[in-house]
Amino acid sequence: DQQVKQNSPSLSVQEGRISILNCDYTNSMFDYFLWYKKYPAEGPTFLISISSIKDKNEDGRFTVFLNKSAKHLSLHIVPSQPGDSAVYFCAAGVQGAQKLVFGQGTRLTINP
Amino acid sequence: EAQVTQNPRYLITVTGKKLTVTCSQNMNHEYMSWYRQDPGLGLRQIYYSMNVEVTDKGDVPEGYKVSRKEKRNFPLILESPSPNQTSLYFCASSLMGQGAGGELFFGEGSRLTVL
């Protein structure tokens, strides 16, 4: 039972354009969400998070949008840069439960 | 430098031969956790620890053991490895538990192959 799903295994975007990575969840109890970025041969690193009391959080080129009614969140990267090429994982959690549930990951490739 | 260190980074072993993957963090984090990453399945939690001598099962604990005798160390033990434990393993830590929304810091990963 995959509670957090990233339905696109891969995404290819032109440098300078917007990258949009999507994530769907099924558990309405999730009340915080995070995005992690992973380069080959490295561990995931935290990118950005959002609480369920917000619908948007912005950090430089990265913006996360949360649509609670649709149980959907997305990560926007604009403008996309070659260094953004990586695997992106979304994750969700419940305050008080000591676990993050991760999606399957989306491999983003930024083409020059 | 703040980091989570795992060893070994790569290991090939045979079925039934006990092994331990070590994990150490230098950030004085209370919370530590082990994940495995498999194609199409993302990261799944194996075990976690809220503090010294406090451990609990995650989603896929079968075939694994952990211990937390010191705050900085959280080894993952495979008593009798089987081929279905072939995977990429990540140790992670955070200042606060995941329930408080604490950001996880991950090690670089340990790729384990069980023949």
Side-chain angles (χ1 to χ4, degrees):
Chain A
D1 177 27
Q2 194 80 26
Q3 295 187 68
V4 178
K5 291 183 182 179
Q6 295 175 255
N7 292 315
S8 298
S10 63
L11 176 67
S12 186
V13 174
Q14 204 75 18
E15 182 179 357
R17 307 294 287 267
I18 184 171
S19 296
I20 301 175
L21 295 95
N22 293 304
C23 180
D24 296 298
Y25 62 96
T26 57
N27 188 345
S28 57
M29 297 295 290
F30 289 143
D31 53 13
Y32 68 101
F33 306 86
L34 307 91
W35 285 92
Y36 284 82
K37 175 180 180 179
K38 184 185 178 303
Y39 292 120
E42 295 184 10
T45 54
F46 170 76
L47 190 57
I48 192 169
S49 65
I50 187 167
S51 162
S52 61
I53 62 173
K54 293 186 171 183
D55 54 19
K56 176 183 173 182
N57 189 26
E58 198 170 347
D59 184 2
R61 295 185 299 113
F62 303 91
T63 303
V64 57
F65 295 92
L66 176 62
N67 182 333
K68 289 186 287 293
S69 60
K71 295 191 180 68
H72 177 83
L73 66 153
S74 60
L75 174 68
H76 293 211
I77 307 172
V78 60
S80 300
Q81 299 175 353
D84 296 329
S85 294
V87 176
Y88 290 78
F89 291 98
C90 70
V94 178
Q95 294 288 343
Q98 301 305 328
K99 162 171 94 170
L100 278 181
V101 181
F102 284 83
Q104 306 96 311
T106 296
R107 181 177 302 278
L108 174 66
T109 303
I110 306 300
N111 302 307
Chain B
E1 180 189 354
Q3 59 186 5
V4 178
T5 304
Q6 298 177 226
N7 279 296
R9 294 289 312 280
Y10 301 92
L11 179 63
I12 299 174
T13 190
V14 295
T15 299
K17 186 176 181 181
K18 180 179 178 180
L19 68 92
T20 299
V21 186
T22 64
C23 174
S24 181
Q25 50 93 4
N26 63 0
M27 295 169 279
N28 201 36
H29 285 168
E30 292 184 345
Y31 180 92
M32 297 186 75
S33 182
W34 276 102
Y35 288 84
R36 60 179 287 175
Q37 182 190 353
D38 300 291
L41 296 175
L43 291 158
R44 295 179 293 166
Q45 190 182 53
I46 304 171
Y47 268 95
Y48 66 91
S49 169
M50 293 296 295
N51 213 326
V52 175
E53 303 291 1
V54 181
T55 63
D56 208 347
K57 296 177 181 178
D59 291 321
V60 288
E62 296 79 18
Y64 305 94
K65 285 175 59 176
V66 292
S67 69
R68 188 91 180 273
K69 293 184 170 56
E70 304 167 282
K71 196 172 186 178
R72 63 182 293 127
N73 296 323
F74 190 44
L76 179 70
I77 303 155
L78 286 74
E79 292 271 2
S80 182
S82 62
N84 65 11
Q85 292 179 297
T86 292
S87 187
L88 179 58
Y89 291 87
F90 290 100
C91 180
S93 71
S94 74
L95 184 59
M96 298 177 287
Q98 288 308 289
E103 171 194 338
L104 279 173
F105 292 83
F106 283 87
E108 293 183 309
S110 297
R111 184 166 293 282
L112 171 65
T113 301
V114 183
L115 302 176

